[in-house]
């Protein structure tokens, strides 16, 4: 027990609000809510469904149930959503507030590798613990809708969604996803909605298959991955440090591997544009926009002086085509086809050695490296703007994933190109006139900085001496040929002019590029959703029929990966499961003969898969015929802007909110990937007619992080909290050394021993106190340190609220027969403020209003039964167990959740009397109480008659009195 923990004397009254009493009543009410399914909400078609009430769909981000259980940071967002859900129910809304588990994950698989325990076993144990902990908070979840992503009944539909993508293509003319059969039908009719290398009618069956497969939203492509033989898995770029795995420090190889991909880039413009139609934090929308990275520019073709293999030109994307006259060399990625062609020919040893080393470095390493490295390929390209031959280099700072894996290097206008040119003594040709301030700042010694023309002339003569690239917009110079001149044009006009010329000469075209890459969807792991795909002997892939879903995971004798340089997923070890016939696998007989031998896909889906669409399944979790029933989907996902109950069947942007979930609360760490992937899946399902709204989440809110104290040595290293002694107020020493350490705020971690278990806090104070403390710490969006010493204040508030109306000896109500007029007015104001603050998610100020009310009522004679009824309702979203107990003691039928939020008399919100400051010669010298509707003349008389004011005016002549009614009085006197 901490030094600030509540204690219970042996002679304490039997009904004093203590941790023991709180525990008893909290567990009693939690059991009652469970038994009576208090928070279950009906769907269309259920006998008790009420379609006349407005809906409110409130969602917490899917938790991953780790074996460590919850720490005190986890319930912050859950408490916030519980408060607003309880409030909305009291306002008459049908509230959907579900909970489930994002249960596939690498930690369970790693534990299985180490111990041989099936991941399902450890995951189910963790889920049971998480559920127990969440229920102990009294959260008002509809537990009848609970599921986990590892449930075959759930991932059946994850596999079904994958097949929707597999059987769809993106119609760029219509700007939407459509069934793949519509593309086949169009091609059969002789239409060509896509570019074809040859007429459809002249293609062989295999060519047609390849053509269609290349258009699918879910497609197979070869990708270079980070393969770790010792771990037996592909690692993300972030998991590779200096060519070794972050976990274990094992060697990592860069390997080409065929993997399933999602064509998310086809949706890039819509993903970007629709950010304007959702109520999300500006920071999150900005992060998504930057991740998508839309940039307008041009693709330019540079012919090679001579062809190498099949490569006779280099195509580059640039956002600054106006600088093409300044391209003095080119750089290709180590993975570029030109490099392959040279490696297959007569590339020198220096090229071979460099390319091998560069290809084995992760993209992140290559981009973060400050050292500029590269090798000349001995190949020249022709600059299309001026006809000059320029050298082609290979360097690791160019990536195949952006543009075409090649750049035109304009060292005068790009920092990386400038550094490369300086390192390898390559020419720098300025083609944009810098502004005078830049020239003045960067001019080398000897250049007159008071003469702009002289500075510019020096810059043109020797740009390297200025030590930097000018990367801003400006006016073009040195940019003309016999057919086109950019000289004197500002950057926007220069861009338009050069693109027009490039297009007219068939050397380039306007284009849009994206930082966003297609989504790599394969993982070489066991503990994930199997793909509903099989392969024939020729390697052609086929979908499993919907009727054969789910494809379930096989059991394995052990979960240890086979150490091999060749990527081999764990599932490949289940040989009996992998090899079967098309009929056994569930391939439609019209697609493949039932007796045809096939092999299953042995990759699994990533952890993102199940969390992309769980919000939809919550609406209809037990439907075995549909992902989500159409009427149920419309009921929960179509949200009218006017707040009225929804009776519509289709989305109308003038009538409905763009996103279906009304409030989504979770951490900002998911601002990009989870939210972007979920939006992509939702848009695909919207296009294919399975959902009604173009966006999944209408309003998004990120709660702040709850941190904990740790201790820091003078060298900034951190010390675990159990290795530190407190020697006095704000005086701490490291036990082992006796050296002083400083208390700091840090993220909770097991290594620092500063993780706080909510079970322990609830045992000391009760769940209601815990809830209040987390919401009272500060604004919900702020990062806040947990301080156990502060929680006692919220505990004492609940004790005061309890004593206000409960006799501690008998447990009976102690109520006033006559309402106090001031208490009644403050109660109306409290109801109004608390409701307004809940809508704003400003829970700390709402709790402050409740504390103020209890303090006032305690000193003003208590509450009547009618006042207690309203107070209990207003308290119940924050401290639901105490609210329910007080409600029951009043003799009201439980639960309090099924009553109504108290009404507020507007007249009670208006003051009869107000306090006005009085200034004398500009300084406040006193205050007066006046009627709220007093006129200026009355206020002036009251001010001059006030004893404190009149005393300060003795011996002075009042020259003027300025009255601003309701605001201030200013007296001019000398």
């Amino acid at each position: 027990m901490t030094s600030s923990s509540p204690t219970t004397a042996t002679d304490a009254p039997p009904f004093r609000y203590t941790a023991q009493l709180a525990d008893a009543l909290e567990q009693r009410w939690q059991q009652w809510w469970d038994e009576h399914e208090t928070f279950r909400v009906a769907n269309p078609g259920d006998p008790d469904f009420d379609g006349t009430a407005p809906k409110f769909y409130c969602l917490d981000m899917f938790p991953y149930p780790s074996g460590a259980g919850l720490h005190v940071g986890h319930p912050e967002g859950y408490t916030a959503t519980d408060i607003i859900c309880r409030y909305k129910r009291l306002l008459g809304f049908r509230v959907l507030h579900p909970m489930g588990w994002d249960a596939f994950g690498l930690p369970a698989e790693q534990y299985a590798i180490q111990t041989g325990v099936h991941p399902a076993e450890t995951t189910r144990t963790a889920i049971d613990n998480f559920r127990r902990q969440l229920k102990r908070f009294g959260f008002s979840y509809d537990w009848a809708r609970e599921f986990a992503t590892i449930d075959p009944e759930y991932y059946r539909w994850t596999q079904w969604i994958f097949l929707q993508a597999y059987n769809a293509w993106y119609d760029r003319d219509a700007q939407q996803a459509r069934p793949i059969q519509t593309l086949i039908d169009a091609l059969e009719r002789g239409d060509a909605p896509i570019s074809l290398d040859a007429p459809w009618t002249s293609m062989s069956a295999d060519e047609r298959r390849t053509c269609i497969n290349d258009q699918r939203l879910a497609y197979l492509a070869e990708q270079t991955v980070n393969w770790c033989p010792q771990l037996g898995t592909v690692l993300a770029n972030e998991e590779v440090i200096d060519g070794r795995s972050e976990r274990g420090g094992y060697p990592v190889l860069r390997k080409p591997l065929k993997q399933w991909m999602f064509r998310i880039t086809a949706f890039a413009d819509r993903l970007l544009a629709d950010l304007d139609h959702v109520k999300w934090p500006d920071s999150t929308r900005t992060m998504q926009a930057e991740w998508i990275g839309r940039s307008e520019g041009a693709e330019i073709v540079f012919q090679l002086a001579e062809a190498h293999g099949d490569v006779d030109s280099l195509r580059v994307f640039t956002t600054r085509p106006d600088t093409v006259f300044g391209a003095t060399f080119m750089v290709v990625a180590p993975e570029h086809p030109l490099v392959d062609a040279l490696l297959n020919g007569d590339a020198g040893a220096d090229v071979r050695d460099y390319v091998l080393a560069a290809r084995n470095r992760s993209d992140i390493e290559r981009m973060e490296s400050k050292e500029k490295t590269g090798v000349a390929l001995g190949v020249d390209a022709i600059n299309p703007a001026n006809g000059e031959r320029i050298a082609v280099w290979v360097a690791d700072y160019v990536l195949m994933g952006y543009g075409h894996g090649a750049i035109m290097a304009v060292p005068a206008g790009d920092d990386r190109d400038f550094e490369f040119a300086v390192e390898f003594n390559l020419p720098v040709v300025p083609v944009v006139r810098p502004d005078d301030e830049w020239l003045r700042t960067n001019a080398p010694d000897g250049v007159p900085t008071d003469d702009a023309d002289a500075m510019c002339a020096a810059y043109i003569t020797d740009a390297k001496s200025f030590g930097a690239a000018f990367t801003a917009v400006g006016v073009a110079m040195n940019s003309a040929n016999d057919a086109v001149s950019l000289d004197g044009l500002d950057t926007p006009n220069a861009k338009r002019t050069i693109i027009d010329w490039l297009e007219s000469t068939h050397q380039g075209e306007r284009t849009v590029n994206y930082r966003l890459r297609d989504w790599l969807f394969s993982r070489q792991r066991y503990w994930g959703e199997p793909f509903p795909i099989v392969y024939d002997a020729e390697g052609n892939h086929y979908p499993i029929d919907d009727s054969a879903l789910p494809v379930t995971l096989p059991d394995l004798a052990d979960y240890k990966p086979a150490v091999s340089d060749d990527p081999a997923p764990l599932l490949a070890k289940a040989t009996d499961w992998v090899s079967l016939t098309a009929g056994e696998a569930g391939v439609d007989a019209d697609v493949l003969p039932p007796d045809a031998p096939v092999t299953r896909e042995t990759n699994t889906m990533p952890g993102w898969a199940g969390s992309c669409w769980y919000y939809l399944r919550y609406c209809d979790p037990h439907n075995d015929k549909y992902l989500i029933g159409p009427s149920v989907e419309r009921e929960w996902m179509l949200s009218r802007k006017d707040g009225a109950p929804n009776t519509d069947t289709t989305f109308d942007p003038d009538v409905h909110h763009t996103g279906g979930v009304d409030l989504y609360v979770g951490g900002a760490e998911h601002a990009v990937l989870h939210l972007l992937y979920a939006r992509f899946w939702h848009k695909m399902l919207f296009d294919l007619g399975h959902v009604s709204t173009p966006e999944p989440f209408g309003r998004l809110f990120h709660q702040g992080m709850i941190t904990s104290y740790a201790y820091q040595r003078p060298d900034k290293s951190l010390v675990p909290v159990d290795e530190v002694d407190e020697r006095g107020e704000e005086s701490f020493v490291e036990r082992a050394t006796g050296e002083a350490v400083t208390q700091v705020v840090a993220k909770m971690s097991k290594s620092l021993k500063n993780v706080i278990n909510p079970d322990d806090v609830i045992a000391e104070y009760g769940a209601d106190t815990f809830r209040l403390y987390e919401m009272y710490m500060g604004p919900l969006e702020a990062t806040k340190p947990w301080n156990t010493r502060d929680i006692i204040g919220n505990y004492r508030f609940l004790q005061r609220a309890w004593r206000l109306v409960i006799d501690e000896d008998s447990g009976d109500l102690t109520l006033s027969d006559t309402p106090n007029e001031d208490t009644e007015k403050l109660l109306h104001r409290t109801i109004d403020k608390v409701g307004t603050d809940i809508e704003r998610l400003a829970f700390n100020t709402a709790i402050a209003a409740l504390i103020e009310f209890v303090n006032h009522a305690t000193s003003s004679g208590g509450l009547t039964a009618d006042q207690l009824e309203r107070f209990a309702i207003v308290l119940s979203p924050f401290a639901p167990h105490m609210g329910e107990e007080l409600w029951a003691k009043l003799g009201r039928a439980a639960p309090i959740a099924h009553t109504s939020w108290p009404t507020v008399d507007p007249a009670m919100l208006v003051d009869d009397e107000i306090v006005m400051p009085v200034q004398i010669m500009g300084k406040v010298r006193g205050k007066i109480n006046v009627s709220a509707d007093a006129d200026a003349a009355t206020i002036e008389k009251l001010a001059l008659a006030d004893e404190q004011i009149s005393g300060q005016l003795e011996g002075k002549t009042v020259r003027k009195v300025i009255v601003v009614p309701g605001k201030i009085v200013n007296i001019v006197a000398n």
Side-chain angles (χ1 to χ4, degrees), residues 348-655:
D350 57 342
V351 173
R352 293 180 185 277
D353 292 345
Y354 180 83
V355 169
L356 179 63
R359 286 181 173 181
N360 212 34
R361 300 180 71 201
S362 72
D363 290 354
I364 286 183
E365 285 183 274
R366 287 160 58 171
M367 293 304 292
E368 290 180 346
S369 176
K370 302 300 182 185
E371 182 184 3
K372 288 292 175 286
T373 64
V375 177
L377 292 175
V379 175
D380 285 345
I382 309 300
N383 186 327
N386 54 27
E388 294 182 2
R389 294 170 69 109
I390 56 178
V392 181
W393 289 64
V394 59
D396 61 3
Y397 78 90
V398 177
L399 306 178
M400 270 309 294
Y402 183 79
H404 298 279
I407 64 166
M408 65 174 203
V410 182
D414 181 271
D415 291 328
R416 293 176 307 167
D417 296 346
F418 183 86
E419 293 167 4
F420 196 88
V422 170
E423 178 70 24
F424 294 102
N425 195 28
L426 298 170
V428 178
V429 175
V431 288
V432 178
R433 189 193 194 284
D435 59 74
D436 293 348
E437 182 60 32
W438 186 91
L439 290 167
R440 192 174 296 112
T441 301
N442 292 281
D445 293 341
V447 174
T449 57
D450 57 349
D451 186 335
D453 290 338
M455 286 191 297
C456 188
Y459 175 63
I460 293 172
T461 301
D462 186 7
K464 284 184 184 178
S465 67
F466 280 68
F470 177 68
T471 60
V473 298
V475 175
M477 62 182 184
N478 295 338
S479 300
N481 61 30
D482 293 341
V484 64
S485 175
L486 309 183
D487 291 345
L489 298 178
D490 60 23
T491 297
N493 281 313
K495 283 184 179 182
R496 284 191 290 270
T497 301
I498 193 64
I499 294 175
D500 288 344
W501 179 77
L502 289 167
E503 289 185 330
S504 70
T505 57
H506 306 291
Q507 298 181 100
E509 58 189 6
R510 283 181 175 81
T511 190
V512 175
N513 206 4
Y514 301 89
R515 180 177 179 268
L516 179 68
R517 303 271 71 86
D518 277 349
W519 179 9
L520 194 156
F521 200 66
S522 294
R523 297 293 184 271
Q524 291 68 47
R525 295 170 183 161
Y526 169 77
W527 195 228
E529 297 93 334
F531 282 94
I533 293 291
V534 295
Y535 299 87
D536 65 15
E538 286 73 40
N540 298 313
H541 46 78
Y542 302 89
I544 300 299
D545 191 71
D546 292 354
S547 62
L549 300 179
V551 178
T552 56
L553 284 167
D555 289 331
L556 294 180
D558 70 81
Y559 303 92
K560 294 180 179 179
V563 179
S564 169
D565 287 354
D566 295 320
L570 265 173
L571 272 180
K573 297 173 70 171
T575 53
D576 291 343
W577 179 84
V578 171
S579 299
L580 68 171
T581 65
E584 292 169 334
V587 179
D588 191 298
D590 292 336
V591 175
L592 204 60
D595 59 351
V598 296
T599 56
R600 295 189 192 273
E601 170 64 73
T602 53
N603 287 296
T604 54
M605 299 184 194
W608 305 108
S611 63
C612 273
W613 71 280
Y614 70 105
Y615 59 94
L616 291 172
R617 192 62 179 173
Y618 276 145
C619 300
D620 206 6
H622 308 299
N623 195 325
D624 60 0
K625 294 182 179 179
Y626 296 99
L627 172 94
I628 176 174
S631 63
V632 173
E633 189 277 331
R634 290 192 297 270
E635 188 60 42
W636 289 116
M637 295 301 291
L638 271 179
S639 302
R640 290 183 62 93
K641 292 179 179 178
D642 59 11
N646 180 52
T647 57
D648 307 306
T649 57
T650 57
F651 174 76
D652 183 338
D654 294 326
V655 175

Side-chain angles (χ1 to χ4, degrees), residues 762-777:
I762 290 175
E764 289 191 58
Y765 299 97
D768 280 349
T769 296
F770 186 109
R771 292 166 59 111
L772 282 169
Y773 173 61
E774 290 223 330
M775 295 298 98
Y776 193 57
M777 292 170 73

Side-chain angles (χ1 to χ4, degrees), residues 673-685:
L673 294 182
H674 158 61
L675 291 170
L676 192 66
Y677 294 156
R679 294 179 64 217
F680 161 58
W681 273 33
H682 193 89
K683 288 184 182 299
M684 177 183 70
L685 293 171

Side-chain angles (χ1 to χ4, degrees), residues 6 8 17-24 762-766 795:
T8 305
Y17 188 83
T18 61
Q20 291 74 24
L21 186 145
D23 180 72
I762 290 175
E764 289 191 58
Y765 299 97
Y795 176 73

Side-chain angles (χ1 to χ4, degrees), residues 119-183:
E121 184 176 333
T122 54
T123 302
R124 294 291 181 193
T125 299
I127 287 174
D128 291 343
N129 187 43
F130 261 61
R131 185 192 306 107
R132 175 194 63 79
Q133 289 185 295
L134 290 180
K135 285 196 170 187
R136 188 58 189 85
F137 286 97
F139 295 141
S140 58
Y141 293 123
D142 182 353
W143 285 105
R145 296 172 183 263
E146 177 191 8
F147 56 77
T149 54
I150 62 175
D151 298 339
E153 299 82 9
Y154 180 83
Y155 69 71
R156 163 195 177 182
W157 294 105
T158 307
Q159 293 169 341
W160 181 88
I161 296 173
F162 175 85
L163 292 177
Q164 300 307 298
Y166 180 87
N167 289 313
W169 67 295
Y170 199 80
D171 186 338
R172 295 188 180 277
D173 291 334
Q175 280 296 295
Q176 69 175 85
R178 299 179 64 195
I180 199 76
Q181 190 60 47
T182 63
L183 174 59

Side-chain angles (χ1 to χ4, degrees), residues 648-953:
D648 307 306
T649 57
T650 57
F651 174 76
D652 183 338
D654 294 326
V655 175
H656 303 103
H657 291 291
T658 301
V661 175
D662 299 289
L663 176 63
Y664 193 22
V665 175
E669 65 271 17
H670 300 295
V672 176
L673 294 182
H674 158 61
L675 291 170
L676 192 66
Y677 294 156
R679 294 179 64 217
F680 161 58
W681 273 33
H682 193 89
K683 288 184 182 299
M684 177 183 70
L685 293 171
F686 175 71
D687 289 353
L688 298 176
H690 301 300
V691 297
S692 302
T693 61
E695 286 283 328
F697 316 118
R699 183 186 180 192
L700 173 70
F701 191 94
H702 297 308
Q703 83 273 12
M705 182 184 296
I706 291 183
T707 55
S708 186
Y709 288 118
Y711 298 92
Q712 190 177 72
R713 301 183 183 96
D715 64 1
K716 304 301 182 183
S717 61
L718 295 175
V719 187
V721 297
D722 63 347
E723 298 176 13
V724 172
D725 292 327
E726 184 174 357
R727 294 291 174 82
E729 186 150 347
E730 298 188 6
S731 175
F732 309 94
V733 297
E734 185 175 357
R735 190 177 306 123
T737 64
E739 297 293 325
V741 292
T742 305
Q743 190 177 60
V744 296
V745 172
K747 187 175 181 179
M748 291 186 186
S749 72
K750 287 187 287 186
S751 63
L752 293 177
K753 308 293 180 61
N754 63 350
V755 174
I756 300 165
N757 189 327
D759 293 346
D760 298 335
V761 180
I762 290 175
E764 289 191 58
Y765 299 97
D768 280 349
T769 296
F770 186 109
R771 292 166 59 111
L772 282 169
Y773 173 61
E774 290 223 330
M775 295 298 98
Y776 193 57
M777 292 170 73
L780 183 60
E781 65 274 19
T783 295
K784 305 164 284 283
W786 177 277
N787 188 352
T788 305
R789 293 177 175 177
D790 293 341
I791 197 171
I792 195 72
N794 297 97
Y795 176 73
R796 288 171 178 160
F797 159 65
L798 288 179
Q799 288 184 312
R800 287 196 303 275
W802 183 261
R803 286 196 305 270
L804 176 64
V805 293
I806 299 293
D807 184 288
E808 292 185 332
D809 290 315
S810 66
D812 297 333
L813 290 175
T814 57
L815 300 173
S816 172
D817 294 330
T818 306
N820 177 285
E821 198 171 305
D822 290 340
T823 300
E824 181 66 17
K825 176 176 285 190
L826 184 58
L827 179 57
H828 280 264
R829 295 184 175 205
T830 302
I831 294 167
D832 180 69
K833 177 166 179 55
V834 169
T836 301
D837 284 352
I838 290 176
E839 295 280 8
R840 297 190 302 115
L841 307 185
F843 303 121
N844 57 324
T845 54
I847 293 169
L850 290 169
I851 293 172
E852 179 186 359
F853 175 77
V854 167
N855 289 342
H856 167 85
T858 299
S859 62
S860 302
L863 302 177
T864 65
D866 177 65
Q867 289 172 335
L868 174 57
E869 178 180 299
R870 285 174 285 158
F871 172 70
I873 295 171
V874 176
L875 176 68
S876 65
F878 303 89
H881 309 91
M882 180 177 284
E884 196 80 76
E885 185 74 6
L886 296 177
W887 185 254
K889 284 183 176 293
L890 282 166
R892 309 296 189 261
I896 198 171
H898 290 177
T899 189
S900 299
W901 189 257
T903 57
V904 173
D905 182 355
M908 290 286 191
L909 306 181
V910 179
D911 286 312
D912 295 328
E913 193 173 74
I914 60 174
V915 178
M916 290 182 63
V918 179
Q919 290 183 340
I920 299 176
M921 299 303 292
K923 293 186 177 181
V924 175
R925 300 297 185 183
K927 296 178 181 179
I928 58 173
N929 294 325
V930 301
S931 172
D933 57 0
D935 58 21
T938 302
I939 294 171
E940 179 179 336
K941 289 179 182 178
L942 289 170
L944 294 174
D946 181 84
E947 186 174 316
Q948 183 180 5
I949 300 301
S950 61
Q952 296 184 66
L953 291 174

